[in-house]
Amino acid sequence: MSDSWHHNNQVCDVSINVPENGSKCYDDDGRLKRTGTVWTASAHIITAVIGSGVLSLAWSTAQLGWIAGPTVLFLFSFVTYYTSTLLASCYRTGDPVTGKRNYTYMDAVRANLGGFQVKLCGGVQAIERSNCFHTKGHDSSCRVSSNPYMIAFGVVQIFFSQIPDFDQISWLSIVAAIMSFTYSSIGLGLGIAKVAENGKIKGSLTGVRIGVVTETQKVWRSFQALGAIAFAYSYSLILIEIQDTVKSPPSEYKTMKKASFISVAVTTIFYMFCGCFGYAAFGDMSPGNLLTGFGFYNPYWLLDIANAAIVIHLVGAYQVYCQPLFAFIEKTAHEWFPNSKFITKEITVTLIPGFRPYNLNLFRLVWRTAFVILTTVISMVMPFFNDIVGILGALGFWPLTVYFPVEMYISQSKIPKWSARWISLQILSGACLIISIAAAAGSLAGVVSDLKVYKPFSSSN
């Protein structure tokens, strides 16, 4: 028996007599040909990195000042790019072209480090992914202004969450990336206009002055700002999964290295502009959400466009972060219950006549819907949830962005212990650990402050 279907404009014979590794429709591991490019990978990364948290960078810069603010932004762009290249080199074990593929971050940790560190990685990932939507929305419009809108967002996500695989959401990432540029550009443009209107550049070399805030607040806010900038660059959580969508040749490592450079460079330019021009416009009074500093009526239509772009972007960002989690849970369920029809059976449903039918899986439908509902309810119950996620994010930044990539690279490259390179990598890891601890402390201070005025199911300010 044999059948055929179209993949990438080619007719693919799926007869059991066709050797998968020798087919033009399959990769070296027997899976369907990856079709991702440097541009789709860049779109995924930009969608994941540039969350609406970009609008809080003016506030972050204000806490640190004109010297430390831009310096920290640049340093974290470098650290993120460098550790991303280390992680990308671990996609294949052994030979970078023909070695065994690692489909997920955890697979890479298992192949290079193994043992307890695999369980540790899995635990940290579970925390980070379950809070993925909120991570990129610190003090910004990630939390929309009222519960009905949050419910509507959740309903939209229920539908998009039924997209079966990561490689089928490239179009959504591209749209989301365009939206992130849209609202960032509007914030930047309004910041430049505000500076021109003021006729001067506000701010100081050391940031918010003592007097505007207390000495204690200055310390905690500086820690929070440091953490916000660090987390604003974080996308290591899904890097391996993005790399697994990339076609070869050239090698996946080369494509991912180029995509990381493009994405981090573009992101840094936007971060610098939005953070610096926002601070220049508002000085010590820089708002947590840059767009709110311009009022709601002048120019109201431009702010409406910006806020609409934020919502559309968050739809894509939610999926980019959650699709790898969905895939992991469903793969595990298949392994644990291979004979369960509820988990394995797919029902063919024709949604639009003339188009390829949709394969409905009941387990996927039920569990993904439940996950979206849970995250929506949590965000409604706890309007300051992002401060709690800031603590969890602080705990996740160091291991996922720095520690595991560094340790896997050392293991795979067989770098001698106590060599100059080994010591340099350990210093980098240790410095980022200290920053994570400081950021967690700052976020904890924010939670304590929020608890004083906490009201369940209230909307964000």
Side-chain angles (χ1 to χ4, degrees):
M1 293 179 63
S2 67
D3 198 0
S4 64
W5 59 284
H6 292 270
H7 176 65
N8 236 18
N9 297 323
Q10 296 177 332
V11 177
C12 298
D13 189 345
V14 293
S15 165
I16 58 174
N17 298 319
V18 177
E20 291 184 344
N21 289 353
S23 169
K24 59 188 177 182
C25 295
Y26 293 91
D27 275 327
D28 57 344
D29 60 346
R31 295 193 176 187
L32 286 173
K33 282 280 187 184
R34 278 89 169 165
T35 58
T37 65
V38 64
W39 299 113
T40 60
S42 297
H44 284 317
I45 295 171
I46 290 172
T47 298
V49 175
I50 304 183
S52 55
V54 65
L55 301 176
S56 71
L57 290 179
W59 180 90
S60 299
T61 306
Q63 311 313 308
L64 299 173
W66 280 119
I67 296 178
T71 300
V72 169
L73 277 167
F74 175 77
L75 286 176
F76 274 104
S77 70
F78 173 76
V79 169
T80 300
Y81 170 69
Y82 180 67
T83 57
S84 294
T85 61
L86 300 185
L87 183 56
S89 68
C90 299
Y91 172 65
R92 287 183 183 267
T93 301
D95 190 277
V97 177
T98 61
K100 180 181 177 296
R101 296 173 186 263
N102 296 306
Y103 302 116
T104 66
Y105 195 122
M106 215 152 113
D107 288 342
V109 174
R110 183 179 293 107
N112 289 281
L113 301 177
F116 171 75
Q117 300 201 63
V118 178
K119 297 179 180 178
L120 176 62
C121 175
V124 175
Q125 279 191 302
I127 293 173
E128 291 292 286
R129 280 179 170 154
S130 65
N131 299 316
C132 58
F133 165 57
H134 303 274
T135 303
K136 294 298 176 182
H138 176 72
D139 281 342
S140 68
S141 295
C142 176
R143 296 169 293 180
V144 290
S145 60
S146 63
N147 289 331
Y149 289 107
M150 299 181 79
I151 294 172
F153 184 89
V155 171
V156 171
Q157 289 299 346
I158 288 175
F159 285 97
F160 278 108
S161 293
Q162 296 310 310
I163 298 175
D165 302 310
F166 199 176
D167 60 358
Q168 294 180 26
I169 64 170
S170 294
W171 64 273
L172 186 57
S173 284
I174 292 172
V175 171
I178 293 172
M179 292 299 103
S180 67
F181 289 138
T182 299
Y183 65 72
S184 297
S185 298
I186 291 174
L188 171 61
L190 291 174
I192 294 174
K194 185 70 174 178
V195 171
E197 179 186 327
N198 294 337
K200 64 177 182 179
I201 294 176
K202 294 187 177 183
S204 64
L205 296 180
T206 57
V208 177
R209 300 182 304 275
I210 302 298
V212 177
V213 295
T214 65
E215 292 183 2
T216 301
Q217 287 176 326
K218 175 70 174 178
V219 172
W220 292 130
R221 287 188 175 195
S222 295
F223 286 165
Q224 279 184 292
L226 205 61
I229 292 172
F231 308 143
Y233 278 104
S234 181
Y235 67 94
S236 298
L237 173 69
I238 56 173
L239 185 145
I240 295 292
E241 283 86 345
I242 292 174
Q243 193 167 351
D244 192 45
T245 68
V246 171
K247 65 182 178 181
S248 64
S251 70
E252 300 87 358
Y253 170 72
K254 290 182 179 179
T255 299
M256 204 62 191
K257 185 177 180 180
K258 185 181 295 185
S260 292
F261 178 80
I262 292 172
S263 305
V264 172
V266 170
T267 298
T268 301
I269 291 172
F270 269 88
Y271 281 6
M272 285 284 190
F273 281 164
C274 288
C276 293
F277 274 103
Y279 182 38
F282 296 102
D284 289 350
M285 297 296 105
S286 295
N289 178 349
L290 182 59
L291 294 179
T292 63
F294 303 103
F296 293 98
Y297 301 102
N298 184 26
Y300 70 92
W301 59 269
L302 195 57
L303 294 174
D304 284 344
I305 293 174
N307 285 312
I310 289 173
V311 173
I312 296 172
H313 168 261
L314 288 172
V315 170
Y318 189 104
Q319 291 301 315
V320 167
Y321 272 95
C322 291
Q323 281 288 341
L325 171 65
F326 295 158
F328 172 75
I329 295 295
E330 286 152 22
K331 176 185 176 183
T332 302
H334 275 72
E335 292 173 350
W336 288 2
F337 308 102
N339 299 319
S340 171
K341 291 185 178 180
F342 173 70
I343 293 175
T344 61
K345 185 178 180 180
E346 293 193 343
I347 303 170
T348 301
V349 179
T350 302
L351 299 176
I352 303 176
F355 285 80
R356 188 176 174 185
Y358 175 77
N359 292 324
L360 175 66
N361 178 275
L362 293 179
F363 174 66
R364 181 172 65 228
L365 175 64
V366 172
W367 111 260
R368 292 190 184 189
T369 300
F371 177 85
V372 173
I373 292 173
L374 177 63
T375 56
T376 302
V377 170
I378 289 176
S379 63
M380 291 166 60
V381 172
M382 304 176 70
F384 60 93
F385 187 59
N386 285 337
D387 288 320
I388 294 177
V389 172
I391 298 173
L392 302 177
L395 299 176
F397 166 74
W398 174 70
L400 295 178
T401 301
V402 183
Y403 174 75
F404 284 120
V406 165
E407 292 301 317
M408 287 191 289
Y409 178 75
I410 289 174
S411 175
Q412 182 156 298
S413 301
K414 296 180 173 57
I415 297 176
K417 198 170 185 179
W418 304 113
S419 65
R421 181 143 201 187
W422 185 90
I423 292 174
S424 298
L425 290 169
Q426 296 301 333
I427 290 174
L428 172 65
S429 182
C432 291
L433 173 59
I434 293 172
I435 290 171
S436 287
I437 293 172
S443 295
L444 181 60
V447 170
V448 172
S449 176
D450 285 331
L451 282 171
K452 295 176 182 178
V453 293
Y454 170 59
K455 292 181 181 179
F457 290 101
S458 65
S459 59
S460 60
N461 294 326

